Amino acid sequence: MTMPTLLPPQLINPLLLQMIAMLPLLITSATAILVMLFIAVRRNHWWNATLTVTGLNLALFSVVWVGLIVHTVGPVQVTPLIVVDGFSCLYMALVLGATLACATLCHAYMEGFPGNKEEMYLLLSISALGALVLVCCHNLASLFIGLELLSVPIYGMIAYAFRLQKSLEAGLKYMLLSAAASAFMLFGMALLYADCGSLDFSQLGQDMSMGIKNPVELAGLAMMLVGFGFKLSLAPFHLWTPDVYEGAPAPVSAYLASVSKLAIFAVFTRFLIFSQAVHSGLLLHVLAVLAIVSIAIGNLLALMQNNIKRLLGYSSIAHFGYLLIALMAGAISFEVVSVYLVTYVISTLAAFGVVTLMSSPYQGKDADALHEYRGLFWRRPFLTAVLTVSMLSLAGIPMTAGFIGKFYIVLGGIFAEGTDFGNLWVWSLLAALVAGSAVGLFYYLRVVTTLFLPSAGMRRYDAPRDWGRRFGGVMVLALAALTLIVGLYPQPVLDVIRLSGETPRHAGSQQVHYR
Amino acid sequence: MILAWLILIPFIGGLLCWQGERIGLWFPRWVALLSMMLTTALAVHLWFDGNYNLMSGLSAGPQHVWQRELHLPWITPLGISFHLGLDGLSLLMVLLTGFLGVMAVACSWREIQRHVGFFYLNLLWNLGGVIGIFLALDMFLFFFFWEMMLVPMFFLIALWGHNTPGGRSRIYAATKFFIFTQASGLILLLAIVGLVLVHFHATGQLSFDYQVLLNTPMSHSVEWMLMLGFFVAFAVKLPVVPVHSWLPDAHAQAPTAGSVDLAGILLKTAAYGLMRFSLPFFPHASQEFAPVAMWLGVFGIFYGGFMACAQNDIKRLVAYTSVSHMGFVLVGIYAGTTMALQGVVMQMMAHGISAAALFILCGEIYERLHTRDLREMGGLWSRFAVLPPITLFFAAASMGLPGLGNFVGEFLILLGSYKVAGTVTIVAAGGLIMAAVYTLLMMQRAFYGQARTSEQMEDLNPREIATMLCLIVVLLVLGLYPQLVLNTSAAVMANVQHAYSSAAALPVLPTAAL
């Protein structure tokens, strides 16, 4: 299929091609710097927010253009650190889309914030830049750069409402633990480099796919897994998740749950799948155990929650457990992972969006207690519809995008490479998926039911009356509509994902063709 | 396209009801009634328009022909299409759904006063989802509708249900219903995807289509596992006894329309699924599993019967009678002879109508007496004029009185099963005695004996009498001239029987063939 590129590739100077491929990164950096300068010149919430959103939108359009180019000419290597291919373009688009969603939520939320509001957008842009680097990275060095660029601004964003004790505590907790996880990751990288002699993913992967040969390699891999496990809040590295989700301001929790996880899982996928490292048997078994434990812990601990942000935090632990199952699906794992991440991001942003709108404008503590939502349907029916659709989507009920994601995971698990029905690992993972989903139903339904009960007594929180006409409200409604549309007619999304996986890649990875 | 309309009319009607509530409380009611009447009319039109006994002339084994079909691509890379199809069995089920839908709307006319529009949205979407189940010919689409009908039912029970004082709350009942059905649904999903995988390995073609997946070659153990996966999901819905515990709670706490929907239609989706999917896909495994299934059915008949006798809540009593009647259905399905299968179809239709009627009557008693406790009732015959005789009529139907549809169903099932499983049939026939016991117990405790007071209670109003008359007439027609129904489903049942029993003649694939 030939696509228009607006630039005949034969005439481009390779340097120019690299610069074009880097365009999203360049535009986002420019946005961050411009926002910083603008804050210095004049403080104005609306102008800064608009500047950020415009810059990110420009970056998003440039991703589409770069995507078309990459589809024709193949992956573009920009310095040994970064590769821009179909996978990167898809995830860059997702990251930017999710960041834009969080920016609209920030705008609604920060209206009432006492103190400086504009720095939130600066931190958001820098963090988005880090996420963009992460999804393009092909080298341990750029992995670390992207990781730190992503995480450090998040420390600031979580502790933004520092006058609230919970926020400051959450920020400090995340900073200390994240720094420790980064240290683990760095040590692991060093050990892997010492063993393999290269920082590049494909070299490392080829080295590891023959099997783990010596303790140095094993220790390196284990340490990197610890680092990743922390960032993705996989059990048993999940202990920070509920506290940080609860303490952070609602739009920051949204960002943490969507973009941060998305970018890190993308680089995790690239590290394992594209570099063939996932074919080493020991790694698969370790991932399977992590998956089962995460599913169990995430779902069981969410049962007792009556704080909606903590509940969403625990549910995200379970969701990433389900996602790990996808990594074992062999040839189609890339597609399964992407479909699930898309549906997860849509549902999570919708859920956190409602929580943010309920807490907007900022008035101290967020509206995160479940009883604040009691009887919301009778006051705000459409907002309730959004939260209901997002809860049902997270639970995996058909007609929602979440079901498509779960269905793909089941497909991935059952079609897993080399499977025969005696394969105990595959069946125990699928059993964990079924059991986890069943348990998950209980707490998702509890939230949904609470929304519809007749409310008793006074409520302190409510979304503003005209929430539907403001940007945050429109975005949240659009997300709910997207959840339903993707659930009923997923074909376009699946086509885009398939397209992004079909670009010619580095040697060593397979392509999948269906009939 | 007409098949798509069968599903779309309830959906669009539901949306209109929800938004139309601001016009006035009368608007959603009338829109709901008209939508379901339109759906029923469409189904009746399809009934008269189609030729359902095409198969009787063929000698070389029946070929399955769909009267109407709709085939649209949906998710092509995975082989999933939007495939709807109508044959005799689906038509009868759709007719039943439409008819009971009209009854459900009619009986909730005055009962539901709060958030009427949203109530009818949930009711109509549930009915639309159920019609989708009966028409779906693509496994993914079937599963989609299977899960989709749960959410509106959950809301119906949770928001408009009753709380029994001193008992469980309606939220508990709704959650239990949802989790049971959803968890078993996930097992069904695994089985469906497993079946698709087996087909893919055998033929290289990835498809979720019913016709394509039939006759998939598979090894013995694989067939057993997939059959069990399908069976678990349908067993929870039917309900088969170990996993039936959601049913009494759901019925007791649901509003009347919800109970009509649940007992009349939702339980039938499980029997439909067994006949349409489980038996044709896995004939060998089903044959071997048949004794287990039939004894489970027999156990259900007696367990339901005994539990019914012990109930004090009249709605729970009728709920347990549903468990008992569905036991007969399970026996009939796994007997697999044409006569037994025809009996199953009759039983599904007749039980749907009689159970729906009984629940409507329970709801009407509750509206007047404000209690469902049998210990508070007694001597009601003298306090109502029309209600008790009608209840006696439907109780007699439930008991299996000849002349009414239930008798035909049970009789055909027992007659059809005797040849293949004599002992099971003899024991199951004992269940008929249980039916008499619990029915007469219910009638005696509620309507006969000493009345608490002698004040006359407000009797059935014209709307309710009209509802009951419709149900009475249909049940009588089913009982006195069942050939109408049997003609429509004959070809389909012959097909199922052919697939099921020819499995005994075919060699089982060795395990290595996979």
Side-chain angles (χ1 to χ4, degrees):
Chain A
M1 181 183 3
T2 52
M3 300 195 105
T5 61
L6 302 178
L7 206 60
Q10 306 89 315
L11 303 179
I12 311 178
N13 182 332
L15 186 60
L16 187 57
L17 188 61
Q18 290 185 355
M19 292 300 276
I20 293 176
M22 280 250 288
L23 215 46
L25 292 168
L26 294 174
I27 295 180
T28 316
S29 328
T31 312
I33 296 176
L34 274 175
V35 169
M36 185 165 64
L37 291 175
F38 208 83
I39 295 176
V41 167
R42 167 177 299 217
R43 277 190 178 280
N44 183 308
H45 184 211
W46 191 85
W47 275 108
N48 271 298
T50 313
L51 185 60
T52 317
V53 165
T54 318
L56 290 174
N57 267 312
L58 263 177
L60 190 55
F61 293 142
S62 72
V63 168
V64 176
W65 184 35
V66 170
L68 291 175
I69 294 182
V70 160
H71 189 77
T72 333
V73 304
V76 179
Q77 175 116 14
V78 181
T79 78
L81 298 181
I82 292 180
V83 160
V84 180
D85 60 7
F87 181 84
S88 325
C89 289
L90 174 69
Y91 279 87
M92 280 201 281
L94 277 177
V95 162
L96 287 168
T99 313
L100 279 167
C102 294
T104 60
L105 290 177
C106 277
H107 180 75
Y109 186 81
M110 301 299 276
E111 274 301 318
F113 187 76
N116 297 327
K117 307 176 191 150
E118 297 77 14
E119 275 81 347
M120 178 69 95
Y121 300 96
L122 177 61
L123 293 172
L124 199 63
S125 320
I126 301 178
S127 191
L129 180 64
L132 291 176
V133 170
L134 267 182
V135 305
C136 300
C137 80
H138 205 74
N139 187 299
L140 288 177
S142 50
L143 190 154
F144 194 70
I145 294 174
L147 201 58
E148 291 303 292
L149 259 182
L150 173 68
S151 312
V152 175
I154 292 186
Y155 307 155
M157 293 203 297
I158 296 178
Y160 209 81
F162 56 87
R163 290 199 178 84
L164 290 178
Q165 189 220 352
K166 274 221 155 71
S167 182
L168 189 58
E169 178 191 328
L172 215 53
K173 200 177 269 189
Y174 186 73
M175 184 178 82
L176 289 174
L177 292 175
S178 178
S182 296
F184 265 92
M185 183 126 23
L186 207 49
F187 197 167
M189 287 190 216
L191 286 175
L192 282 178
Y193 180 64
D195 179 71
C196 173
S198 164
L199 287 174
D200 189 73
F201 279 359
S202 0
Q203 307 269 29
L204 281 171
Q206 268 162 15
D207 208 54
M208 280 191 274
S209 65
M210 323 284 196
I212 310 236
K213 298 183 296 296
N214 52 36
V216 174
E217 201 174 340
L218 182 64
L221 199 55
M223 294 205 149
M224 286 206 69
L225 265 183
V226 168
F228 274 120
F230 170 84
K231 297 283 181 183
L232 292 171
S233 64
L234 297 169
F237 314 109
H238 66 283
L239 296 166
W240 59 273
T241 315
D243 294 328
V244 170
Y245 274 50
E246 185 188 0
V252 175
S253 298
Y255 185 80
L256 199 53
S258 56
V259 175
S260 155
K261 297 266 170 78
L262 178 69
I264 295 174
F265 204 87
V267 75
F268 191 51
T269 308
R270 204 193 268 279
F271 182 54
L272 291 182
I273 294 180
F274 286 13
S275 65
Q276 306 283 295
V278 76
H279 291 307
S280 86
L282 176 66
L283 188 58
L284 274 182
H285 292 154
V286 169
L287 286 177
V289 171
L290 280 181
I292 295 180
V293 177
S294 303
I295 294 173
I297 289 191
N299 283 311
L300 289 174
L301 289 179
L303 283 176
M304 293 291 120
Q305 294 304 321
N306 50 19
N307 179 311
I308 200 173
K309 280 157 100 186
R310 287 181 85 93
L311 191 144
L312 286 169
Y314 279 118
S315 98
S316 81
I317 299 176
H319 277 284
F320 277 85
Y322 302 142
L323 203 42
L324 279 184
I325 300 178
L327 284 178
M328 285 160 251
I332 55 166
S333 12
F334 154 74
E335 215 172 311
V336 176
V337 165
S338 302
V339 171
Y340 197 83
L341 274 175
V342 168
T343 59
Y344 166 75
V345 163
I346 297 177
S347 325
T348 309
L349 278 177
F352 272 110
V354 172
V355 175
T356 312
L357 287 179
M358 284 287 285
S359 323
S360 316
Y362 177 85
Q363 39 194 291
K365 195 170 156 321
D366 279 344
D368 52 7
L370 207 52
H371 66 81
E372 305 281 356
Y373 292 81
R374 196 185 154 114
L376 188 65
F377 180 68
W378 315 120
R379 306 195 303 274
R380 302 263 179 274
F382 290 103
L383 196 63
T384 311
V386 172
L387 190 55
T388 307
V389 166
S390 101
M391 286 287 129
L392 292 178
S393 183
L394 287 171
I397 309 285
M399 241 179 47
T400 61
F403 171 66
I404 302 286
K406 269 229 168 77
F407 178 70
Y408 257 76
I409 298 224
V410 170
L411 268 183
I414 290 194
F415 277 71
E417 230 171 48
T419 196
D420 53 87
F421 285 105
N423 188 334
L424 188 60
W425 283 109
V426 170
W427 284 110
S428 49
L429 283 171
L430 288 172
L433 175 72
V434 170
S437 304
V439 173
L441 273 175
F442 188 76
Y443 55 84
Y444 289 125
L445 276 185
R446 198 149 50 88
V447 175
V448 172
T449 330
T450 315
L451 295 169
F452 290 88
L453 290 176
S455 62
M458 293 228 298
R459 305 157 307 276
R460 275 210 301 136
Y461 295 102
D462 206 351
R465 219 152 239 291
D466 60 345
W467 70 270
R469 285 190 284 275
R470 295 164 145 256
F471 280 117
V474 171
M475 189 275 299
V476 152
L477 281 170
L479 278 175
L482 197 59
T483 311
L484 286 173
I485 292 174
V486 172
L488 287 169
Y489 188 56
Q491 194 55 17
V493 173
L494 297 178
D495 280 339
V496 169
I497 291 179
R498 171 179 304 272
L499 216 57
S500 71
E502 269 174 8
T503 53
R505 288 196 213 111
H506 295 306
S509 358
Q510 306 129 310
Q511 291 204 16
V512 190
H513 294 287
Y514 291 118
R515 73 177 169 95
Chain B
M1 213 30 224
I2 196 174
L3 292 184
W5 278 116
L6 278 172
I7 304 178
L8 280 175
I9 292 177
F11 275 109
I12 300 176
L15 281 172
L16 278 174
C17 287
W18 185 34
Q19 288 309 305
E21 191 176 350
R22 55 193 84 186
I23 301 181
L25 282 189
W26 57 272
F27 185 79
R29 291 180 179 138
W30 280 104
V31 169
L33 187 67
L34 285 172
S35 316
M36 287 322 295
M37 283 179 133
L38 192 56
T39 316
T40 318
L42 261 182
V44 170
H45 163 77
L46 281 170
W47 195 15
F48 286 130
D49 201 42
N51 189 348
Y52 294 96
N53 34 26
L54 270 178
M55 305 308 103
S56 45
L58 288 172
S59 53
Q63 303 294 312
H64 206 122
V65 167
W66 302 101
Q67 287 302 310
R68 297 292 175 110
E69 231 177 312
L70 175 68
H71 201 143
L72 297 169
W74 190 10
I75 309 179
T76 351
L78 294 176
I80 296 174
S81 54
F82 189 81
H83 193 182
L84 299 177
L86 185 77
D87 68 357
L89 178 63
S90 356
L91 174 74
L92 286 172
M93 292 292 106
V94 171
L95 263 174
L96 182 69
T97 311
F99 178 64
L100 286 180
V102 174
M103 296 296 119
V105 172
C107 76
S108 55
W109 206 262
R110 291 274 164 242
E111 187 190 350
I112 305 296
Q113 293 294 336
R114 290 177 305 124
H115 314 296
V116 177
F118 193 54
F119 175 83
Y120 284 112
L121 171 80
N122 282 312
L123 186 63
L124 287 178
W125 277 32
N126 194 351
L127 292 169
V130 167
I131 294 180
I133 289 182
F134 290 135
L135 294 176
L137 281 188
D138 179 287
M139 294 315 293
F140 182 82
L141 187 63
F142 172 77
F143 182 75
F144 182 90
F145 280 120
W146 181 265
E147 297 283 287
M148 208 214 79
M149 68 173 175
L150 298 182
V151 178
M153 197 70 215
F154 171 80
F155 282 125
L156 281 177
I157 302 179
L159 297 181
W160 292 275
H162 319 288
N163 286 325
T164 17
R168 306 289 199 176
S169 78
R170 58 183 193 243
I171 310 242
Y172 168 86
T175 315
K176 198 170 178 183
F177 160 76
F178 196 89
I179 293 188
F180 260 86
T181 348
Q182 177 78 350
S184 64
L186 282 170
I187 301 180
L188 177 64
L189 180 65
L190 286 183
I192 290 177
V193 178
L195 178 62
V196 171
L197 169 74
V198 168
H199 185 82
F200 179 63
H201 275 179
T203 63
Q205 187 194 17
L206 187 66
S207 173
F208 278 76
D209 196 73
Y210 176 66
Q211 305 275 69
V212 173
L213 288 174
L214 279 176
N215 301 318
T216 307
M218 46 185 130
S219 78
H220 186 74
S221 48
V222 167
E223 191 179 346
W224 257 91
M225 282 209 302
L226 293 177
M227 190 273 299
L228 281 176
F230 272 72
F231 184 74
V232 163
F234 297 134
V236 168
K237 249 332 192 30
L238 194 63
V240 174
V241 168
V243 287
H244 70 288
S245 56
W246 59 272
L247 185 74
D249 288 320
H251 268 136
Q253 321 297 22
T256 314
S259 294
V260 165
D261 201 354
L262 201 48
I265 306 162
L266 254 56
L267 302 188
K268 315 301 179 285
T269 61
Y272 170 86
L274 281 172
M275 284 196 290
R276 172 76 77 212
F277 299 109
S278 205
L279 289 190
F281 279 150
F282 316 112
H284 299 107
S286 299
Q287 282 265 12
E288 290 166 26
F289 186 65
V292 176
M294 297 216 285
W295 281 111
L296 273 176
V298 170
F299 184 61
I301 297 174
F302 283 98
Y303 182 83
F306 280 122
M307 290 300 287
C309 296
Q311 296 304 316
N312 285 321
D313 180 336
I314 196 174
K315 261 183 126 178
R316 281 182 86 97
L317 194 150
V318 181
Y320 274 110
T321 71
S322 284
V323 176
S324 186
H325 287 298
M326 286 294 119
F328 275 102
V329 165
L330 190 59
V331 170
I333 292 177
Y334 275 90
T337 61
T338 318
M339 193 178 292
L341 290 169
Q342 289 279 58
V344 166
V345 174
M346 273 309 303
Q347 175 78 329
M348 288 206 287
M349 310 260 327
H351 174 260
I353 294 177
S354 62
L358 280 172
F359 278 116
I360 297 180
L361 289 162
C362 290
E364 284 162 1
I365 294 178
Y366 179 74
E367 259 175 68
R368 291 156 177 77
L369 290 176
H370 302 293
T371 178
R372 291 196 312 262
D373 196 331
L374 281 168
R375 292 168 293 198
E376 309 273 325
M377 302 184 210
L380 288 182
W381 198 284
S382 55
R383 297 173 63 190
F384 288 99
V386 180
L387 183 75
I390 299 184
T391 320
L392 183 59
F393 177 86
F394 285 107
S398 174
M399 199 161 48
L401 196 73
L404 300 172
N406 301 62
F407 167 72
V408 180
E410 284 168 3
F411 184 73
L412 283 176
I413 290 176
L414 290 174
L415 206 58
S417 320
Y418 185 69
K419 274 193 304 260
V420 284
T423 331
V424 170
T425 314
I426 294 175
V427 179
L432 293 173
I433 305 178
M434 279 311 306
V437 172
Y438 59 66
T439 314
L440 293 175
L441 209 61
M442 176 185 87
M443 289 303 299
Q444 202 278 330
R445 290 178 75 184
F447 291 98
Y448 296 96
Q450 200 59 307
R452 299 277 161 140
T453 74
S454 57
E455 79 174 279
Q456 279 288 347
M457 299 244 64
E458 179 204 333
D459 204 4
L460 299 184
N461 62 41
R463 164 185 59 92
E464 290 164 339
I465 294 185
T467 321
M468 286 294 122
L469 266 178
C470 291
L471 290 164
I472 290 176
V473 165
V474 175
L475 204 52
L476 273 173
V477 167
L478 281 179
L480 294 174
Y481 192 54
Q483 202 57 35
L484 272 178
V485 165
L486 295 176
N487 272 340
T488 316
S489 62
V492 188
M493 293 301 113
N495 236 325
V496 176
Q497 181 266 335
H498 181 79
Y500 186 59
S501 55
S502 67
L506 285 172
V508 176
L509 281 178
T511 327
L514 178 57

